[in-house]
Amino acid sequence: MRESLDNDFRKRFRSEKIGNAYSGRAHFWFTTVTSLAAVAFCLLQADRVQPLEWLAIPATFLYANLVEYWGHRRPMHHPTRGLKLIYQRHSKEHHRFFTHDRMQFDSPQDYKAVLFPPIMIVFFIGGFGVSLWFVLAMLISNNVAWLALATGIAYFLNYEWLHFAYHCPANSAIGRLPGMKTLRRLHQNHHNPGLMMRYNFNITYPIGDWLFGTLYRSERN
Ligand SMILES: [Zn+2]
Ligand SMILES: [Zn+2]
């Protein structure tokens, strides 16, 4: 019964939300190339970085991990004014498309149920990134602003790559990369409808889950 409900949802999602013109591979490469180009551009702007300025990298990494944690724990799993679209995409679509016993893409068309839409990438980098740059450049230094922006974008790409990898077949070349089994299992537990509101809100590295006591490990694959 569950299996057929999942199938119905997958079929409906594919026909309503994934048009024939959509290319999963183009989507993946757009995300990758745009993000890498933006990271390279930011790094090239940094000039004679002082020892303390390098701290912008670990500080931004930690901050991004906590933003990922709270963004996922709150608005992605609770309807929030102004952010209902990401609740819809995540809780109502992503979690129904993929459950803990059905984590894999069936074809590249299904990438749409995982990757952020290209317009949001432009918004993240162009809107959020540029304002972050101005605040940090004004408060600290240009180098800190460039390094923080580069780290934030690299973190975003790392999020997209890891989340993508968790939904690839476990026995594929990507699924067998070092450390992937452990990280995928955490995310697979999060996709269990009985656990998803309470555990494993980090998609990348479970720092936030560890800090806030929401880490759930199990031995199942
Ligand atoms: Zn997922
Ligand atoms: Zn979730």
Side-chain angles (χ1 to χ4, degrees):
M1 182 68 181
R2 254 280 308 289
E3 181 79 354
S4 72
L5 282 178
D6 289 350
N7 276 332
D8 286 352
F9 180 77
R10 280 191 166 208
K11 263 194 211 141
R12 214 170 55 241
F13 184 88
R14 284 176 185 138
S15 71
E16 288 171 8
K17 301 276 170 111
I18 310 176
N20 285 337
Y22 174 78
S23 161
R25 289 192 182 92
H27 190 175
F28 178 87
W29 285 111
F30 175 84
T31 302
T32 299
V33 171
T34 311
S35 304
L36 288 178
V39 171
F41 175 81
C42 294
L43 291 178
L44 286 172
Q45 310 310 309
D47 183 33
R48 278 165 291 171
V49 178
Q50 301 301 303
L52 275 179
E53 289 178 323
W54 290 111
L55 288 177
I57 293 176
T60 307
F61 176 88
L62 192 59
Y63 177 72
N65 189 274
L66 298 179
V67 168
E68 167 195 312
Y69 178 85
W70 282 107
H72 187 188
R73 185 169 177 176
R74 295 305 308 172
M76 287 167 96
H77 276 281
H78 299 270
T80 307
R81 206 193 313 194
L83 297 171
K84 289 228 170 76
L85 191 64
I86 62 167
Y87 169 77
Q88 169 70 19
R89 279 184 51 84
H90 185 75
S91 290
K92 299 289 183 196
E93 295 175 358
H94 181 68
H95 271 278
R96 284 191 72 189
F97 200 95
F98 301 101
T99 48
H100 60 303
D101 45 11
R102 195 156 184 212
M103 286 287 283
Q104 293 180 17
F105 300 119
D106 284 342
S107 80
Q109 293 302 96
D110 293 348
Y111 296 174
K112 194 161 187 184
V114 168
L115 299 171
F116 277 101
I119 187 71
M120 274 182 81
I121 300 168
V122 174
F123 168 78
F124 273 141
I125 299 176
F128 182 69
V130 169
S131 29
L132 175 80
W133 187 93
F134 275 106
V135 170
L136 289 175
M138 228 159 55
L139 292 178
I140 311 175
S141 73
N142 283 11
N143 279 341
V144 164
W146 288 120
L147 291 176
L149 197 52
T151 310
I153 298 166
Y155 192 96
F156 164 76
L157 181 60
N158 184 236
Y159 172 108
E160 288 288 71
W161 277 351
L162 281 174
H163 195 198
F164 177 84
Y166 304 154
H167 292 287
C168 285
N171 58 2
S172 64
I174 293 176
R176 284 185 281 114
L177 288 171
M180 198 56 76
K181 191 174 169 190
T182 308
L183 290 176
R184 185 181 53 246
R185 193 186 297 142
L186 294 176
H187 190 59
Q188 189 172 10
N189 285 329
H190 175 72
H191 269 277
N192 182 335
L195 302 174
M196 71 174 186
M197 298 297 282
R198 288 178 292 156
Y199 298 109
N200 298 356
F201 295 105
N202 278 120
I203 305 279
T204 60
Y205 315 102
I207 302 170
D209 280 306
W210 176 73
L211 277 174
F212 298 105
T214 52
L215 185 59
Y216 182 94
R217 287 197 186 93
S218 81
E219 291 314 308
R220 80 188 291 277
N221 281 308

